Amino acid sequence: RRVNHGFRAPLSSLKGTLRIMDGPAPPRAWRELMEMLNRDRERLEGVVNDLVDEEQLAFGGLVLRPVALPVGPALEEAILGVQSLAQHRRVEIRLEAAPEVRVWADPARFQQVLGSLLARALEQATTKGGIWVWADLPSEGRVRVSIHDPARAPAVPGDVTGTFVPFTSGLGLSLARSLAEAMGGRLGQVAVEEGNTTWFELPEATP
């Protein structure tokens, strides 16, 4: 079901865009339509890449190359990668000053996990309050990266990590959790009265 949804959403959007392009669309609308097509193409490519990665994880074929990765620059890079989506959604992403720490992580997979969580937050966010991103050290030897959407207030506040089921939360989210765990971390979600926070933790890289 999650794979089906991952393909159907962009395919439905592509179908609608092509129908508009087949009609008497004014010239000034073509650029916006092409941007929509490109976004949907990227979403489909993301679903296919996620399927490949999940298969490799399941059969032990995914190679990780962990390094001592500086957290601050990595957060900035991930946010830069979703700025076009943020602008399209008219949602501001606010990055709090990150501590000068490093994590043991594969740089590309770190970006994949954080990018997936940011994209999910942007898809569900409203312009009210924007999205907050920060990193902290919840316990010795652990670094946590959090993404908070203050506009999505839950019905029942509390730690809902136990109900954060990958198979009902979307393919990208399932893969994000699997990648975090493969790098020695974990991923979860906390609902509070002021909104919803998704986070992932990784081991701190100490000298």
Side-chain angles (χ1 to χ4, degrees):
R1 184 172 57 183
R2 60 198 172 119
V3 176
N4 186 37
H5 174 74
F7 279 107
R8 281 197 172 193
L11 283 174
S12 297
S13 181
L14 278 169
K15 184 177 179 180
T17 304
L18 290 171
R19 186 180 296 115
I20 295 173
M21 295 179 72
D22 190 44
R28 63 178 178 272
W30 283 105
R31 181 176 179 181
E32 182 178 350
L33 291 173
M34 292 304 296
E35 290 175 350
M36 291 172 61
L37 286 172
N38 191 51
R39 283 195 299 270
D40 292 330
R41 176 189 60 78
E42 291 176 348
R43 290 174 65 187
L44 284 172
E45 286 180 349
V47 172
V48 173
N49 291 336
D50 286 351
L51 283 169
V52 173
D53 288 341
E54 272 212 324
E55 183 178 25
Q56 289 181 327
L57 276 169
F59 292 96
L62 187 68
V63 178
L64 297 175
R65 297 177 174 84
V67 299
L69 182 68
V71 172
L75 296 183
E76 295 174 357
E77 180 182 345
I79 291 174
L80 184 63
V82 296
Q83 274 303 325
S84 61
L85 177 59
Q87 292 171 1
H88 174 68
R89 298 282 298 175
R90 298 181 180 178
V91 175
E92 182 181 1
I93 302 177
R94 300 180 177 92
L95 174 61
E96 294 188 3
E100 294 185 2
V101 295
R102 299 170 182 262
V103 293
W104 282 114
D106 181 307
R109 300 306 178 180
F110 181 96
Q111 291 297 323
Q112 191 172 355
V113 172
L114 183 52
S116 178
L117 298 185
L118 285 171
R120 177 175 180 267
L122 286 169
E123 290 290 345
Q124 299 177 354
T126 66
T127 55
K128 179 183 177 182
I131 292 174
W132 289 89
V133 180
W134 71 91
D136 59 5
L137 290 82
S139 59
E140 185 176 357
R142 308 292 292 182
V143 178
R144 174 177 290 190
V145 176
S146 301
I147 299 97
H148 179 71
D149 176 9
R152 287 195 299 128
V156 182
D159 187 342
V160 293
T161 299
T163 61
F164 197 59
V165 182
F167 294 100
T168 61
S169 301
L171 179 61
L173 198 55
S174 170
L175 179 60
R177 167 177 261 181
S178 297
L179 287 172
E181 293 174 349
M183 292 187 289
R186 61 191 186 119
L187 186 150
Q189 189 175 40
V190 176
V192 295
E193 291 183 358
E194 296 78 16
N196 194 60
T197 301
T198 305
W199 54 265
F200 68 98
E201 288 182 10
L202 292 172
E204 181 182 5
T206 55

